Amino acid sequence: MAHPSQLGFQDAASPLTEELLHFHDHALMIVFLISTMVLYIIVAMVTAKFTDKLILDSQEIEIIWTLLPAIILILIALPSLRILYLMDEINDPHLTIKAMGHQWYWSYEYTDYEDLGFDSYMIPTQDLTPGQFRLLEADHRMVIPVESPIRVLISAEDVLHSWAIPSLGVKVDAVPGRLNQTTFIVNRPGVSYGQCSEICGANHSFMPIVVEAVPLEHFENWTSLMIEDA
């Protein structure tokens, strides 16, 4: 959950988000070192009173400033490709959920169960209870078990939407007529908030996504109650 005046990212709730945060820190450190070196060179060139005529024609310097950027790009590209493949890899998910975007709410269908599906609408401001977040709470949460691979199939009924949860490292476009998929594992019990991140119309700001991760036994009790109510 993001906080006012927060400068960094949200706390990671999945292994994939931890990898993304580590890669961000890795790339940021490289950028910081490059910026520091360039600033030092600029200051040295401006303040120095001497000139070395040999530095203007040096094969060694040409080799260094050709190889060094290539090495830096490799140091950034290899971890990036690793994370890219991790994000696309889906191995034997324990649960599959279909998320459909509508104007302007989400509907969820648990495909491994019969008759387990519901619509998720934003709770209006006047109906919020103390402790709930404005524009982020939904009347029905997507409940999942912790430490289980979850696959989400994402599409839309009308216009483009986007199913995005920052703390889980998930952002997938919901395209009418197309079925996209993503996967994630939640490390610990808790509630993760997200919103539709595609400008989908007048009420684009009012399509919250709430994912609640619970222990497996609590998830089984929840599914039983939902099926009985249906």
Side-chain angles (χ1 to χ4, degrees):
M1 179 66 197
H3 300 281
S5 303
Q6 179 176 334
L7 298 179
F9 293 100
Q10 297 184 24
D11 292 338
S14 69
L16 180 59
T17 314
E18 293 178 359
E19 293 287 341
L20 291 171
L21 294 182
H22 291 159
F23 174 71
H24 168 267
D25 296 340
H26 168 72
L28 189 63
M29 183 56 64
I30 293 176
V31 172
F32 175 76
L33 293 175
I34 293 174
S35 302
T36 304
M37 184 181 69
V38 171
L39 180 62
Y40 169 76
I41 293 174
I42 292 174
V43 173
M45 293 292 291
V46 170
T47 58
K49 297 181 182 301
F50 58 86
T51 301
D52 186 354
K53 63 179 182 180
L54 297 178
I55 203 173
L56 301 177
D57 186 16
S58 173
Q59 295 297 327
E60 291 79 7
I61 293 180
E62 291 280 355
I63 294 173
I64 290 174
W65 69 36
T66 300
L67 291 181
L68 194 58
I71 294 173
I72 293 173
L73 289 176
I74 292 174
L75 292 177
I76 296 176
L78 292 181
S80 175
L81 290 174
R82 174 177 172 271
I83 296 177
L84 187 63
Y85 279 101
L86 285 176
M87 294 176 68
D88 286 338
E89 189 173 357
I90 299 178
N91 290 325
D92 191 23
H94 295 176
L95 180 67
T96 299
I97 303 172
K98 184 178 180 181
M100 293 291 294
H102 307 267
Q103 288 184 317
W104 286 274
Y105 64 95
W106 294 96
S107 62
Y108 299 100
E109 179 183 346
Y110 289 68
T111 59
D112 299 297
Y113 298 85
E114 291 186 5
D115 301 325
L116 180 51
F118 51 84
D119 297 330
S120 179
Y121 291 87
M122 186 195 75
I123 299 178
T125 302
Q126 62 271 17
D127 296 334
L128 292 174
T129 59
Q132 290 186 325
F133 299 104
R134 177 177 173 270
L135 301 182
L136 289 177
E137 294 289 351
D139 57 355
H140 290 90
R141 295 176 172 178
M142 192 183 92
V143 181
I144 59 173
V146 298
E147 298 180 349
S148 298
I150 308 298
R151 176 174 61 182
V152 183
L153 305 176
I154 300 164
S155 186
E157 283 281 352
D158 33 50
V159 298
L160 292 175
H161 299 280
S162 185
W163 201 79
I165 303 179
S167 61
L168 299 180
V170 173
K171 183 180 183 296
V172 182
D173 288 339
V175 183
R178 180 182 177 89
L179 200 62
N180 293 326
Q181 67 177 352
T182 186
T183 183
F184 56 85
I185 300 174
V186 180
N187 291 333
R188 59 183 184 276
V191 181
S192 300
Y193 294 92
Q195 288 178 305
C196 173
S197 59
E198 189 75 47
I199 299 177
C200 57
N203 292 333
H204 154 70
S205 309
F206 309 104
M207 288 184 65
I209 304 165
V210 186
V211 175
E212 182 176 359
V214 298
L216 180 59
E217 56 270 19
H218 295 174
F219 174 76
E220 293 175 344
N221 295 335
W222 176 82
T223 55
S224 301
L225 291 174
M226 291 293 292
I227 293 175
E228 290 177 2
D229 293 342

